[in-house]
Amino acid sequence: MNDAVIIAPQRAWGRGRLVAKSRSGRACIAELYQEGCAKIRLPRTFDASMEAVLINSSGGVTGGDRISWAFEAGEGTALTLTTQACEKIYKASAGTADISTRISVASGSRVDWLPQETILFDRASMSRSLEVDLAEDATFLAVEAVLLGRKAMGEVVQAGLFRDRWRVRSGGRLLHAENLTLADDIAALAGRSAVLRGAAAFATLLYVGTDCEPMLSRLRGTIGDRASAGASHFRVAGRDKLVARVAATDGFALRKILVPLISHLRNDASVPKVWTL
């Protein structure tokens, strides 16, 4: 009797790259590359900035999938990066999904990294990284939100693995670093008062710019007296940064807090239109 042939499940793979340059005062394409399941769409904007919508055409992520993104904002450009929808991280039968993002922001430029929420399913396994290199006068806003299942669907994340690694440098000097790991019994871990206190949705906001200090009071005013959110101002490596943390019962409650905070850090501009569809 012949041994059965074991065929490994097909895994998604994608790579996308976008470079923006300034032409006649507007951001335009200098380089655009997409391969595999990674797609980039550029909707029309009505100002000098460029908006890029990132799409994972595989429809979600599971163990063994690999997606990498790379973006560069040339001198004097403004670039907003978002996603078409929430990224779903499904149960992994084997392996760990890997999503990496690299962003470079040149002098006098601004990048807003505003992906929609990442939804973890029970027994998902994912590791992702965000590497950012800023010029000494560049402006950067990053938001990452995570949902531990969808409350409206009755989903609960009991176990799995989620790793998130950020490294942000300005002028080559480390400005912000953090490592988050939720592993094994995620439900018990999230229930701890020092972690999420039972919240099923959370987000981190990072803002680097010259106007951090005056923005802080308004940011805290928007947060109000919520015990599940807070914002702080730091000066590191000669640069100012704001860091805000938000936790909520579910994705809807998180957005009610998150959207005004993002708008404030975008000088009252709204979130990308795909967020509201």
Side-chain angles (χ1 to χ4, degrees):
M1 182 176 179
N2 294 331
D3 293 335
V5 177
I6 299 175
I7 301 176
Q10 184 177 4
R11 298 306 185 193
W13 179 86
R15 183 170 55 160
R17 173 177 169 81
L18 173 65
V19 180
K21 66 179 180 181
S22 179
R23 177 187 295 164
S24 301
R26 288 184 61 92
C28 63
I29 299 172
E31 181 180 335
L32 175 62
Y33 177 87
Q34 50 192 3
E35 184 178 2
C37 65
K39 311 298 182 186
I40 302 174
R41 298 294 180 263
L42 304 171
R44 179 180 297 180
T45 60
F46 298 94
D47 56 20
S49 68
M50 175 184 289
E51 181 176 307
V53 179
L54 315 183
I55 302 170
N56 171 16
S57 62
S58 67
V61 176
T62 189
D65 291 351
R66 299 285 184 270
I67 302 175
S68 64
W69 303 102
F71 307 99
E72 294 183 23
E75 289 191 13
T77 59
L79 179 61
T80 296
L81 305 166
T82 187
T83 55
Q84 183 187 40
C86 298
E87 187 67 275
K88 299 177 181 67
I89 315 300
Y90 294 113
K91 175 183 175 180
S93 59
T96 297
D98 183 85
I99 301 177
S100 63
T101 304
R102 299 190 64 91
I103 300 173
S104 177
V105 191
S107 177
S109 299
R110 173 174 178 144
V111 168
D112 290 355
W113 171 246
L114 304 175
Q116 297 191 63
E117 297 91 337
T118 296
I119 303 175
L120 297 182
F121 285 71
D122 191 32
R123 302 190 182 280
S125 182
M126 185 184 76
S127 177
R128 72 180 181 191
S129 63
L130 176 64
E131 296 274 349
V132 183
D133 290 299
L134 306 174
E136 294 184 351
D137 62 345
T139 301
F140 179 66
L141 169 63
V143 176
E144 286 285 9
V146 177
L147 309 183
L148 301 178
R150 297 171 295 184
K151 188 174 181 179
M153 302 295 290
E155 297 166 355
V156 178
V157 177
Q158 296 288 351
L161 173 66
F162 175 67
R163 294 194 186 101
D164 198 14
R165 180 182 185 273
W166 294 26
R167 294 293 184 272
V168 181
R169 295 174 175 82
S170 178
R173 298 184 298 275
L174 185 63
L175 176 62
H176 184 81
E178 63 177 83
N179 284 58
L180 168 67
T181 300
L182 299 175
D184 301 325
D185 191 345
I186 292 178
L189 186 61
R192 296 180 183 176
S193 58
V195 184
L196 289 173
R197 199 179 301 174
F202 61 95
T204 295
L205 299 88
L206 171 68
Y207 177 76
V208 181
T210 59
D211 52 352
C212 288
E213 193 168 0
M215 277 193 166
L216 180 62
S217 60
R218 187 177 167 194
L219 198 67
R220 286 176 170 170
T222 302
I223 292 173
D225 58 358
R226 295 181 178 90
S228 56
S232 300
H233 169 239
F234 304 90
R235 185 165 180 81
V236 181
R239 296 296 308 272
D240 288 303
K241 68 176 182 179
L242 293 176
V243 179
R245 314 279 189 185
V246 182
T249 56
D250 56 33
F252 180 72
L254 181 66
R255 279 209 176 193
K256 286 177 66 177
I257 307 171
L258 202 55
V259 169
L261 297 181
I262 295 171
S263 179
H264 169 54
L265 294 173
R266 280 164 57 87
N267 298 313
D268 295 325
S270 62
V271 295
K273 190 171 291 185
V274 290
W275 275 56
T276 61
L277 296 179

